[in-house]
Amino acid sequence: MAAELVEAMNMVKSFRVSDLQTLLASMGRSKSGLKQDLVGRALRLVQTEYSPELLKNVRQLYESRFPKTTGWLAARRPEGIPVSYSSLSSSPSATSQGVEYLNGMSKPMATPPPEVKLVPLPFYQTLETLLPPTELISQSNGKLQDNQCIFELTPSQADQIRNAREIRPGMTSIQVVLRICYTDSIGVQEDQYPPNIAVKVNQTYCHVPGYYPSNKPGVEPRRPCRPVNITPCLHLSSLTNRVTITWGNFGKRYSVAVYLVRMFTAADLFNQLKLCSVESAERCRERIQDKLRFDPESEIATTGLRVSLICPLVKMRIGVPCRVLTCAHLQCFDAVFFLQMNEKKPTWTCPVCDKPAPFELLTIDGLLSTILKETNEDIEEIEYLTDGSWRPISDDKEKEKERERSNTPEYSVVDICVPETNGHSPAHSSASLTGKSGGAPDFSGGGPAAAQPGGVVVDLTLDSSSEEEGGGAGGDSEDTEDSSDSTAPKRRRYDYDKDLVTAY
C-alpha cells in the first residue's frame, strides 16, 4: 500500500500540465491554476482519496507519456535472462533457437520471470547491481527450502569496500547488502522477509534483524525488514561468493537481490534536506491564507489556526520544523529527531496524522523556522491569522492568570485544630470551650479570646434547651455566675463530649 502510494506520487510529479488537468478533471477536481498548484492538488488527491481507480488513471497517464518498450525482442534472447536465475530456478532453460520441440510440434518458450522493482531506501544509495531480483524457487515439498546464488566482485568494487570510511563502529559507508521482497511486477516492492529466514555467505551466517517487542497487549512482535549487510563475509578478491538462503515455503513467492550501496546517516539526510527541500516563508504564508480564506459555502468562518511549537515525537521544543508536502495540517515536527528515529526503526509515518511520510516529500517550514528564532523558550503555541501574520498564545495565558489573581480575595488562614501541650486536640478539651477565664467566648474582638492566636471554638452540640437547663429559672442567675470564681460545668444532653469545630 505505501509502496504503491509512493509510486503514484512519483508519477504525478513527472506529469505535464495537460496530464495534471486530465487527472484532476477525471476525479471531479478543479483544473485551473499554475503548475505548482496543480501538482500540489494532485498529490493531495492521491494522498487523501487513494483508490484502485485513481491508481489506474495515474498509470494510464504515465504510460501514455512514457510508453514501455515491447518485450518480444527480450523474450527471444536467452542472454536477456540473468545468468544467476538459472542457479535458483529448477525450470529448464530455453534452447539457443528460442523454441523447443515436442513430438515434432513447436513448443513456445517459457515466459521470462516478471521484472521486480524494489522501493528505493533513503539511507541506501544503490551504486551497482551485483545480482538482479531473482525468484526463490522451492526445490522440494518441505516447508524449509534452500536456494543458492553466486556473484563475483570486480577489483574496483573490492577497492571501494576496502577504502570506505567508517561511519560508526563496525559499519562502513560502502556495503554489499542483500534484499528480499515479494515477487510482484506491479509497482515497487518493499523489503519483506520470508518466514524462518537464514542467510549464509561463504559458510558463515549473517546477522538478520530480529523482532521488535510490542508494548500493546495482544499485538504480535514486528520484524523490521531492512537490507542484510553481508559485507564482512565476502571474499574481497576474484573468488566467487556463494550465498545460501534458507526460507519457509508457506505459499508466497519471494525474490532476492544483491546490491553495492553507499550508506547514509541521519545527519547526511538532514544536510540533504536543508540544501534541497526548504519551503520559503512567503510560500508558507500563501498556504496559510489559502486555508483561512473565507468560504461562502461554509457556515463557520475560521479566523486563526493554532500551531504548537512542541514536537509531537519527543515533547520538546522544535529545533528544525519539518512536515510532509501532502499533509493537510500545518503542524510541524522536529526534522532531526524524525530522521534519527527512522534510522533506527524505519516507519516513515507522519507523527501528526499517521499518513505516509517518505523522505522525498519532506520539507522544512521556512516561516516557522523564523518564528522559532524570534520567540522565547517559554512560548509553546502560536496562532496564524488570516493575513498570514502570527501571534503568540502565551500572552493570553498570562493575562488569564493575572486576572484570576486580581479577582481572588485574600482570606486569613485559620488553624482549625491547634494541638495543645499535652498532645490532645482542642476538640476534646473542655478548657477550650470558655477560654482561659472559663467564661463565655467574646466575639466582639476586644476580649482575650480575640487576642488568642488560635481559632474560636464553639460546641455545636449545645442548643437553647440545654442552656435553659444549665442557666436556672430565676433572674439572678447572672449575678450568681459573676460572684462565683469557679462555676460547675453545664449539664449537657449527652454523657460524653461531642466533637467541636472552629467558627470563622
Side-chain angles (χ1 to χ4, degrees):
M1 175 70 178
E4 295 180 354
L5 183 60
V6 173
E7 181 190 18
M9 290 179 179
N10 293 333
M11 292 181 181
V12 168
K13 291 179 182 179
S14 64
F15 283 175
R16 296 170 294 187
V17 175
S18 59
D19 300 331
L20 294 170
Q21 292 176 345
T22 303
L23 176 63
L24 293 172
S26 64
M27 301 302 295
R29 297 293 187 273
S30 174
K31 59 180 182 179
S32 60
L34 301 176
K35 182 178 181 180
Q36 59 180 2
D37 298 332
L38 297 177
V39 172
R41 201 176 303 156
L43 289 175
R44 287 192 294 271
L45 176 66
V46 174
Q47 178 75 21
T48 56
E49 299 185 11
Y50 182 79
S51 63
E53 179 184 1
L54 178 60
L55 180 61
K56 181 180 178 181
N57 294 339
V58 172
R59 284 179 176 169
Q60 288 178 352
L61 291 172
Y62 183 80
E63 292 175 358
S64 63
R65 186 182 179 190
F66 303 101
K68 294 184 178 180
T69 57
T70 56
W72 66 272
L73 289 176
R76 292 180 60 87
R77 289 203 307 262
E79 60 271 12
I81 303 176
V83 178
S84 57
Y85 181 78
S86 60
S87 62
L88 291 177
S89 174
S90 58
S91 60
S93 59
T95 60
S96 58
Q97 291 81 6
V99 178
E100 295 181 354
Y101 292 90
L102 181 64
N103 297 330
M105 298 184 64
S106 63
K107 177 183 176 182
M109 189 184 63
T111 305
E115 183 181 0
V116 179
K117 294 182 180 179
L118 283 154
V119 62
L121 301 177
F123 292 100
Y124 299 84
Q125 178 188 5
T126 302
L127 301 178
E128 295 184 43
T129 301
L130 304 179
L131 178 69
T134 309
E135 185 176 359
L136 298 174
I137 304 298
S138 59
Q139 306 293 337
S140 62
N141 295 329
K143 293 299 182 182
L144 288 180
Q145 302 289 330
D146 286 334
N147 290 109
Q148 292 186 357
C149 59
I150 58 175
F151 66 93
E152 296 179 0
L153 295 174
T154 62
S156 62
Q157 294 170 352
D159 291 339
Q160 286 183 359
I161 298 174
R162 291 192 193 97
N163 301 328
R165 64 181 179 90
E166 189 177 35
I167 56 179
R168 64 171 61 95
M171 183 177 294
T172 58
S173 59
I174 304 297
Q175 296 180 1
V176 176
V177 297
L178 181 141
R179 300 182 64 180
I180 303 177
C181 66
Y182 288 132
T183 303
D184 192 353
S185 59
I186 300 177
V188 291
Q189 303 299 316
E190 296 181 345
D191 292 68
Q192 185 65 47
Y193 293 158
N196 305 324
I197 181 176
V199 179
K200 185 168 59 174
V201 179
N202 299 326
Q203 305 303 319
T204 302
Y205 282 98
C206 297
H207 172 71
V208 179
Y211 289 88
Y212 282 143
S214 177
N215 298 328
K216 299 180 181 179
V219 178
E220 296 183 358
R222 183 177 177 273
R223 189 174 204 170
C225 299
R226 60 177 64 189
V228 181
N229 182 18
I230 63 174
T231 311
C233 305
L234 295 178
H235 296 309
L236 300 181
S237 61
S238 59
L239 296 178
T240 301
N241 294 282
R242 186 177 301 273
V243 180
T244 303
I245 302 170
T246 303
W247 56 287
N249 182 18
F250 293 93
K252 293 185 178 180
R253 302 166 58 191
Y254 296 90
S255 294
V256 61
V258 180
Y259 299 98
L260 180 69
V261 299
R262 183 187 303 276
M263 285 287 297
F264 292 126
T265 62
D268 297 331
L269 294 187
F270 177 66
N271 293 330
Q272 295 181 22
L273 195 64
K274 289 193 300 182
L275 293 175
C276 305
S277 183
V278 178
E279 193 171 19
S280 63
E282 291 75 14
R283 182 69 184 92
C284 295
R285 289 191 183 92
E286 293 177 0
R287 186 188 298 270
I288 295 169
Q289 292 173 356
D290 290 341
K291 286 185 173 295
L292 296 178
R293 185 175 290 115
F294 176 71
D295 187 3
E297 298 181 359
S298 177
E299 298 179 357
I300 301 175
T302 305
T303 59
L305 289 173
R306 292 194 173 189
V307 173
S308 175
L309 303 183
I310 303 300
C311 177
L313 287 172
V314 291
K315 307 303 179 185
M316 295 172 57
R317 185 178 173 90
I318 298 176
V320 181
C322 179
R323 54 182 172 78
V324 189
L325 287 173
T326 54
C327 291
H329 54 80
L330 297 176
Q331 179 63 50
C332 295
F333 47 87
D334 192 273
V336 177
F337 287 114
F338 181 75
L339 294 175
Q340 289 176 353
M341 294 179 67
N342 281 279
E343 184 179 16
K344 295 180 179 179
K345 184 180 179 182
T347 57
W348 299 106
T349 303
C350 177
V352 180
C353 59
D354 292 333
K355 292 183 179 179
F359 175 75
E360 56 268 17
L361 294 181
L362 297 180
T363 183
I364 296 177
D365 194 312
L367 177 59
L368 195 58
S369 299
T370 306
I371 295 174
L372 288 168
K373 295 178 182 178
E374 296 177 355
T375 54
N376 298 327
E377 294 289 336
D378 56 345
I379 297 179
E380 299 182 354
E381 192 176 14
I382 63 168
E383 182 179 8
Y384 289 126
L385 304 179
T386 54
D387 58 351
S389 60
W390 60 277
R391 66 181 185 91
I393 303 297
S394 61
D395 295 343
D396 295 344
K397 295 182 179 179
E398 293 295 333
K399 291 180 181 179
E400 291 178 2
K401 291 181 181 179
E402 292 179 0
R403 192 181 301 112
E404 291 177 358
R405 294 194 198 102
S406 61
N407 296 335
T408 303
E410 295 185 359
Y411 296 99
S412 59
V413 180
V414 179
D415 193 354
I416 296 179
C417 182
V418 179
E420 294 184 351
T421 57
N422 57 0
H424 295 286
S425 171
H428 300 285
S429 176
S430 60
S432 303
L433 178 62
T434 58
K436 294 181 179 180
S437 62
D442 186 4
F443 295 97
S444 61
Q452 191 175 354
V456 181
V457 181
V458 179
D459 189 354
L460 298 183
T461 61
L462 298 180
D463 53 10
S464 60
S465 62
S466 62
E467 292 179 357
E468 291 175 0
E469 293 174 1
D476 56 348
S477 59
E478 296 181 358
D479 300 337
T480 307
E481 290 182 0
D482 296 337
S483 61
S484 176
D485 294 335
S486 59
T487 58
K490 296 181 180 180
R491 185 165 53 87
R492 299 172 180 172
R493 180 178 300 177
Y494 302 100
D495 295 335
Y496 57 90
D497 293 341
K498 299 293 287 185
D499 290 341
L500 307 180
V501 299
T502 302
Y504 293 89

